[in-house]
Amino acid sequence: ETGVTQTPRHLVMGMTNKKSLKCEQHLGHNAMYWYKQSAKKPLELMFVYSLEERVENNSVPSRFSPECPNSSHLFLHLHTLQPEDSALYLCASSQTAGEKFYTFGSGTRLTVV
Amino acid sequence: AQKITQTQPGMFVQEKEAVTLDCTYDTSDPSYGLFWYKQPSSGEMIFLIYQGSYDQQNATEGRYSLNFQKARKSANLVISASQLGDSAMYFCAMRAKTSYDKVIFGPGTSLSVIP
């Protein structure tokens, strides 16, 4: 266990479904991140939250909607996804947004059918 | 623009041997940090080692060392005495001030350790 927990580990959803990915950390970190890892592509930063405020949205389609209700929890709400959105979604946290060390979760393997 | 290149999509190494994973980077920022992460089949990204652009000495962490050649913009990871548990994807990453401290990742190298 890294200290960053992601649920579910695996998710299969249809293109018309609505689902949410959850990330939880109890490391006392103030910054949290969503990354997307597609096959044969580098990790792509999606969102950055610092002290519960979104500080970066990396041109992510609106069908991905992040939510950070407190510094320990981060959600990624999904709706009307496309098959190309199938990927491993990784959550990470760090002490601050400028901190060099990230702690990653194990990821959610998402398959859109 | 910041960029990380890892030219070896897959590598094999005999158990107990050393292996070098290549990483080159591109940035115009004088202040940056370089990282290596390991991703086993379980999916989580595990931080291995960090090198700051102003660090005088190459970073070492146990069996991991970073061969930092600033003029060549390379930051190769050396794993000594490979173990079967080292089989995983390895990602080189960089954070630079001009990229708003975002960590960008290379495409990764798949390492397989052979018994």
Side-chain angles (χ1 to χ4, degrees):
Chain A
E1 285 293 329
T2 66
V4 178
T5 304
Q6 290 187 245
T7 54
R9 290 298 307 274
H10 301 272
L11 178 63
V12 180
M13 60 185 288
M15 289 190 284
T16 58
N17 291 159
K18 288 184 180 181
K19 296 287 184 183
S20 295
L21 310 185
K22 180 181 177 181
C23 176
E24 187 174 354
Q25 59 90 9
H26 295 290
L27 301 169
H29 289 173
N30 293 313
M32 297 185 77
Y33 313 81
W34 280 115
Y35 277 88
K36 176 184 178 183
Q37 187 179 24
S38 304
K40 300 181 181 179
K41 291 177 69 175
L43 269 75
E44 302 169 62
L45 178 64
M46 299 176 73
F47 300 105
V48 180
Y49 275 83
S50 177
L51 296 172
E52 302 149 43
E53 287 189 20
R54 190 190 310 179
V55 296
E56 179 130 3
N57 175 352
N58 227 26
S59 302
V60 179
S62 59
R63 57 186 184 269
F64 295 92
S65 174
E67 178 190 2
C68 187
N70 54 63
S71 60
S72 298
H73 295 86
L74 184 65
F75 295 90
L76 188 62
H77 303 300
L78 317 170
H79 65 96
T80 58
L81 294 192
Q82 305 297 313
E84 59 264 30
D85 297 323
S86 298
L88 179 68
Y89 288 84
L90 287 161
C91 174
S93 70
S94 63
Q95 186 64 47
T96 64
E99 178 65 39
K100 57 193 176 203
F101 300 112
Y102 285 15
T103 303
F104 281 85
S106 299
T108 295
R109 176 70 63 186
L110 174 67
T111 303
V112 181
V113 298
Chain B
Q2 325 291 329
K3 187 179 179 183
I4 296 280
T5 302
Q6 294 179 255
T7 57
Q8 306 152 314
M11 290 279 288
F12 291 88
V13 64
Q14 203 77 35
E15 193 178 7
K16 300 180 185 177
E17 297 291 312
V19 64
T20 298
L21 306 183
D22 295 342
C23 172
T24 58
Y25 60 91
D26 189 21
T27 180
S28 57
D29 199 310
S31 176
Y32 53 89
L34 298 156
F35 309 77
W36 277 91
Y37 282 87
K38 171 185 178 182
Q39 187 180 40
S41 57
S42 57
E44 70 195 75
M45 299 284 281
I46 302 167
F47 167 76
L48 295 179
I49 196 166
Y50 170 81
Q51 179 86 42
S53 59
Y54 292 118
D55 293 345
Q56 295 297 312
Q57 294 186 323
N58 286 349
T60 59
E61 288 286 348
R63 294 186 299 112
Y64 304 108
S65 61
L66 202 152
N67 184 2
F68 181 44
Q69 298 189 42
K70 195 170 182 177
R72 295 184 180 181
K73 293 189 175 179
S74 75
N76 299 339
L77 177 70
V78 180
I79 305 175
S80 62
S82 298
Q83 302 172 356
L84 296 178
D86 293 334
S87 295
M89 285 291 293
Y90 287 81
F91 293 92
C92 182
M94 177 174 67
R95 158 177 264 154
K97 287 293 183 185
T98 52
S99 64
Y100 304 101
D101 286 325
K102 288 187 298 185
V103 177
I104 61 169
F105 288 82
T109 294
S110 176
L111 177 66
S112 298
V113 180
I114 305 167

